[in-house]
Amino acid sequence: MYELIATVELALWFGLPAWIANSTPVVFGGGRPIDGGKLFRDGRRILGDGKTIRGLFAGVFFGTLTGLVQSFLVPCILPVLDDYITVTGEILYVLDMNWAVALLLSVGAMLGDLVGSFLKRRIGLVSGGPSPVLDQLGFILIALIVVYPLKQVQPVYVLALLLLTLFTHWVSNALGYLLGLKKNPW
Ligand code: CTP
Ligand code: MG
């Protein structure tokens, strides 16, 4: 049982920089859109007003910062974890966060977010329109791909992270909507 909880927690731990990168633009974004207001050849916006330069940098900055803080916390977490489960080499590997891994996760998350918006505009969805799979999994999938050259966690963590992301993205969006930070609950 502790092993299962530990797997979920470790997946969360590993994905945290990507999550933070994906969620901080809602708070710190705004201003000039990345596409500069330009249209694609289909006559629709390239990315839309929802993707701003400030949001992009905020995401990468706070995601990387999160990973840096995590890397300092590892020595404190290890003894606690050791009380509950057998800390294997694989667990140590997942736990061992550093700024470079966090940077790649954050850049990947933001890239996934942009690709998602690009595809949404191509199928004619306005900014803020719902696109369940793209909105929820796009950022984490690309984050995992971008970080892969530097860090390859076992499939069980990838699976746990995808499931957790599906669930919490829904919860956080609903929360953002209720707090008045987002226009729509998706
Ligand atoms: N945001 C930002 N810059 C980014 C990403 C997000 O400023 N690179 C801010 C915008 O204010 C955006 C909000 O965060 O409206 C919510 O982000 P998201 O849901 O990703 O964008 P949407 O507005 O839903 O636009 P899209 O349909 O393109 O996903
Ligand atoms: Mg959205």
Side-chain angles (χ1 to χ4, degrees), residues 21-32 34 47-57 59 110 113-114 116-118 120-121 125-131 135 169 173 181-184 186:
N22 191 248
S23 50
T24 38
V26 184
V27 184
F28 298 99
R32 192 179 153 79
I34 295 167
L47 298 171
D49 285 332
K51 303 295 119 132
T52 67
I53 296 171
R54 207 165 70 209
L56 178 71
F57 279 100
M110 297 319 287
D113 188 45
L114 296 184
S117 289
F118 179 78
K120 281 169 79 177
R121 298 301 90 80
L125 276 172
V126 292
S127 286
S131 170
D135 277 349
H169 200 84
N173 279 349
L181 292 170
K182 280 179 69 82
K183 286 192 281 294
N184 305 297
W186 49 76

Side-chain angles (χ1 to χ4, degrees), residues 17-22 55-65 99-115 138-147:
W19 276 14
I20 296 293
N22 191 248
L56 178 71
F57 279 100
V60 173
F61 176 77
F62 285 107
T64 309
L65 186 68
W99 69 268
V101 167
L103 177 67
L104 289 190
L105 281 170
S106 305
V107 168
M110 297 319 287
L111 196 68
D113 188 45
L114 296 184
V115 170
F139 83 92
I140 198 76
L141 274 175
I142 307 275
L144 287 168
I145 292 170
V146 171
V147 82

Side-chain angles (χ1 to χ4, degrees), residues 5-23:
I5 298 171
T7 303
V8 171
E9 284 173 354
L10 282 163
L12 255 169
W13 175 263
F14 178 60
L16 197 60
W19 276 14
I20 296 293
N22 191 248
S23 50

